[in-house]
Amino acid sequence: MNEGTLALRREMVGICRRMNSSGINQGTAGNLSVRHGSSFLITPSSLPYDLMQPEDLVEMGFHGN
């Protein structure tokens, strides 16, 4: 994982936690994703945002690989 990807992952985890604190999303409801080059990053299901770490985000290709 390069520094740019790690920074994006950290930003996503921060956004997830702010979503919880603002009341937009609670617990493990919903997912957050972002396009990243030829793939996208998505938060895993059933992992509370308060426990989530940047390494927990999943990188997926647009064709499911």
Side-chain angles (χ1 to χ4, degrees):
M1 175 181 339
N2 65 42
E3 191 59 38
T5 302
L6 182 57
L8 180 57
R9 288 169 179 260
R10 287 178 179 147
E11 184 176 2
M12 287 180 68
V13 170
I15 290 168
C16 289
R17 292 179 179 162
R18 286 193 304 273
M19 287 170 54
N20 271 2
S21 63
S22 70
I24 292 174
N25 200 36
Q26 294 299 311
T28 60
N31 290 90
L32 182 70
S33 63
V34 65
R35 285 179 175 256
H36 179 64
S38 61
S39 62
F40 64 98
L41 293 171
I42 188 166
T43 56
S45 298
S46 303
L47 180 60
Y49 290 155
D50 292 339
L51 300 177
M52 190 176 296
Q53 298 299 313
E55 298 81 18
D56 294 323
L57 276 67
V58 177
E59 186 168 1
M60 294 282 300
F62 290 111
H63 299 287
N65 54 340

